[in-house]
Amino acid sequence: MTNNPNPIEDHYTSGALGAAILAALQGMRKDIDHLTPDDLAAVDEFHGGQRPATVRLAELLDLGGSERVLDVGCGLGGPSRFLAWRYGVRVSGIDLTAEFVRVAQMLTRRTGLAGQVDYRQGDALDLPFEDASFDVVWSQNAAMNIADRDRLYRGMRRVLKPGGRLALQEVAAGPGGPPHFPVQWAREPAISHLFSADATRAKLEAAGFRVVIWQDTTAEALASAARRTRTTSDAPPPLGTHLILGDDWRAMFKNSARNLEERRTELFNAILEQAEEPAFSSAASQRA
Ligand SMILES: C[S@@+](CC[C@H](N)C(=O)[O-])C[C@H]1O[C@@H](n2cnc3c(N)ncnc32)[C@H](O)[C@@H]1O
């Protein structure tokens, strides 16, 4: 936290993340000028289930390689670099947190993927892209900081080409009550905006999407969170998301597992398609 006036950006900003990641990699004897996405996966896949969850979501999409992909709330860029590296697609990432965008750009240069992946700072609620410019919009664990889901999903639909697809991994509110805080996306309830899976689905459909695949992945997420929680009494590994999260990372890991266990949170994967009937017609109407 850095007293940034935007409380969400403040939550995610540490101020020295790039240096901390490079120092950890050097400690692991990695060549920091020639990194691979695998070298970085412990830290740059900043969502429940990390790389295996990204692989599962990508497999649902069955990418051919020629697609243009937008990663909304791209964080440090782990998923976007992985998609470019594994499938050959071209990816743009957008994220609210300036430090994450700078680190994403730096890591992308060091993995030799800068020709395929680009990043910019911006708000998912006001996507700075032309209508119909992407084949796929991808987003993992970003919407839980976003209250105005109607606007978020309408914007995602707007930037998709006709017939384009949306791939989501999202945290949903479960029936067990509000989450225990702190969690990875919020230290307090004010910046946490969870909706139930049913409410999320209804908002996606109202924004002009048709559900192709909808999978509850709470059990997998809980298994992964529980495994990670068992290691919180040990010293952290050199490279991990604790470098992003700050001093209360142990409490966040424990609460994540507990929230899933008590069904305060649930996780789902979804693939959606632009429904034929447009909900609105232009960037101007979306931004109004
Ligand atoms: C838990 S991280 C996930 C990062 C990345 N998707 C991943 O899976 O590695 C959540 C991200 O959402 C971003 N975010 C939150 N609200 C946003 C908004 N309104 N617009 C763009 N990004 C946002 C945060 O800055 C953060 O990088």
Side-chain angles (χ1 to χ4, degrees):
M1 290 174 68
T2 53
N3 294 322
N4 188 300
N6 182 316
I8 297 167
E9 190 175 2
D10 188 49
H11 168 77
Y12 286 112
T13 302
S14 68
L17 181 59
I21 291 173
L22 292 179
L25 288 162
Q26 280 175 315
M28 295 161 70
R29 306 202 171 286
K30 298 287 180 188
D31 175 355
I32 59 167
D33 293 319
H34 299 93
L35 296 167
T36 70
D38 285 347
D39 292 332
L40 298 169
V43 68
D44 71 1
E45 297 267 6
F46 184 28
H47 52 257
Q50 295 202 284
R51 169 63 65 73
T54 299
V55 170
R56 272 201 302 277
L57 186 61
E59 283 172 352
L60 297 180
L61 269 179
D62 196 19
L63 293 164
S66 61
E67 292 90 347
R68 193 152 179 244
V69 180
L70 173 65
D71 184 355
V72 175
C74 61
L76 309 187
S80 45
R81 281 187 294 274
F82 173 75
L83 292 175
W85 186 55
R86 171 67 62 88
Y87 295 98
V89 292
R90 185 170 166 86
V91 192
S92 295
I94 182 165
D95 200 280
L96 191 70
T97 303
E99 181 177 36
F100 283 1
V101 172
R102 284 195 301 275
V103 173
Q105 289 165 335
M106 179 272 286
L107 294 176
T108 300
R109 282 193 300 276
R110 291 173 187 272
T111 49
L113 287 164
Q116 260 176 283
V117 190
D118 61 85
Y119 300 98
R120 66 171 82 175
Q121 187 192 13
D123 191 336
L125 291 175
D126 197 9
L127 293 174
F129 302 100
E130 295 296 313
D131 292 6
S133 39
F134 295 96
D135 301 287
V136 172
V137 171
W138 169 284
S139 189
Q140 281 174 291
N141 289 42
M144 62 266 186
N145 288 126
I146 299 178
D148 192 348
R149 298 293 182 88
D150 299 323
R151 186 176 174 108
L152 173 70
Y153 298 141
R154 281 201 310 267
M156 289 173 160
R157 186 190 187 283
R158 176 183 68 75
V159 300
L160 276 174
K161 294 177 187 170
R165 292 179 297 161
L166 172 60
L168 289 181
Q169 171 178 323
E170 284 202 7
V171 182
H180 300 290
F181 291 93
V183 283
Q184 284 86 334
W185 65 91
R187 289 183 173 78
E188 70 288 317
I191 60 166
S192 176
H193 305 288
L194 300 185
F195 293 79
S196 70
D198 284 349
T200 309
R201 188 171 172 145
K203 285 178 181 296
L204 285 159
E205 287 170 344
F209 285 105
R210 186 179 70 76
V211 174
V212 180
I213 298 172
W214 194 279
Q215 293 180 339
D216 184 325
T217 56
T218 309
E220 291 91 327
L222 176 57
S224 151
R227 257 195 316 277
R228 210 177 38 189
T229 302
R230 281 196 288 276
T231 65
T232 51
S233 50
D234 305 339
L239 194 69
T241 54
H242 61 280
L243 297 178
I244 308 172
L245 295 169
D247 292 343
D248 42 3
W249 65 272
R250 285 189 173 84
M252 291 177 177
F253 281 11
K254 283 183 187 158
N255 283 338
S256 276
R258 194 174 160 205
N259 287 331
L260 287 161
E261 205 167 27
E262 296 173 6
R263 285 295 186 280
R264 294 170 184 271
T265 56
E266 298 178 335
L267 238 83
F268 67 85
N269 279 348
I271 305 294
L272 303 105
E273 218 172 48
Q274 229 195 21
E276 271 174 32
E277 213 31 51
F280 57 90
S281 57
S282 72
S285 63
Q286 156 65 8
R287 288 179 186 142

